[in-house]
Amino acid sequence: MPSDTVHLLPVTSPASQGAMSRAAGGFLLFAFFWIVAAAAFSGFAGKWGLRDGDPRFGVAAMLEMEAHKPFVYRQLVPDLARRLDAVASDRLKERVAKRFRPDETFAKSQPGTTDSARFRYAIVWYASFLSLLGSLFVLRRILLHFNVSPLAAVLAPTAFALAFPYLQTVGGYFYDTAELLFASLAFLLALRGRLVALAALVLVATLNKETFFFVLPALYPLLRRHQSRRNAWLAVGVLVLFAGLMNVALKAAYLEAFGGALEFHLLANIQAYLSGNPYFRLETTYGLVGPSRAFVGTLAVLGIVLWRAWPLAPRVVRRHLAISALVNLPLFLAFCATGELRNLSTTFTGLVLLVAFLIDREASLRMRMRDSAAAAEDHPAPQETRQA
């Protein structure tokens, strides 16, 4: 073999190297978020299942459209399951029924005995999981829009997702994750001024939960970035009208269902919160005894995040959160069970933003401290000498 033989290595252009790097990074991010969503969803499933066996709001009753009001209104995912069940082949249902066995892992899961029942249960199960997974990517995109560091844009949604089963105290439902996804999507679309897409989203999101129009007023500060004050409020008004009409249509469709459209808890909540009882309750989450209802530790965490991160947030985020709280807190007190923290859902996107701002702030402070310590080591202060 000649000594002057040259072995050529394949050369890739900087553009192709960048594309491969982005693809690899995207895959790793997807894998990481999948693991996070799976862990959080398992926490929910172990704690609540799909509320199996309950005639008021259990998944079987929802799929048969026999649940009580207001739960029966929330038909987006059950309707998807029914439609897919109607078009799926018997062979596909049989294969899904054999492979999908959540009841072997989760004691509260009751997917049914027939292939069709297990197939519909699987659709609801995975739709709920994928909604949580999708919300992580949407929240990350929102955070990057506000120039949050890439690390904080991953860590903040992760922290919130893992904490979500703790917020699903008193109750948790399969449509909670879809509600989170739609609320974060609405925030992102309003942030970008995509009114047509936002209007379409409102109609779909209201099918998931009829109270979605309470999310919409807090979008005003985001729309105001693209519209005049008058046009921004007009857009919010039109969106609320769309959601309201869908709400009326849903209530008309299930007029004969059992139960009432609202559950009034104001007096009971005032008495409970004044008694101090909700602040020291416990329940099992992730298989371990932890906080329940308005546990004092949970309130302390939320209060510290709000106190430390509020000054760091841009004005548009503070206004969004303020409007969310003004709308959500009276409704939470009047119509929600005591300490049912998942019903503070209009504030969740803003809360993730605050967590991200706080992560970046803490990282910045630690970096400054490390740089100061390194500078002190490199340039030690001169020692004073004393003359006798």
Side-chain angles (χ1 to χ4, degrees), residues 349-369:
T349 304
L351 177 61
V352 175
L353 278 159
L354 292 184
V355 171
F357 297 144
L358 189 56
I359 290 172
D360 269 351
R361 175 65 172 171
E362 292 299 320
S364 176
L365 289 175
R366 290 180 180 276
M367 189 172 295
R368 283 188 215 166
M369 291 173 63

Side-chain angles (χ1 to χ4, degrees), residues 22 66 90 115-116 135 138 169 212 215 228 246 262 286 297 323 335 341-342 347-348 359 366 371 374:
R22 286 192 297 272
E66 296 176 353
D90 291 339
D115 291 348
S116 180
S135 69
V138 176
T169 179
F212 189 76
V215 173
S228 66
M246 181 63 74
L262 293 173
Y286 289 117
I323 296 173
F335 300 110
L341 298 180
R342 68 182 186 85
T347 66
F348 287 165
I359 290 172
R366 290 180 180 276
D371 292 345

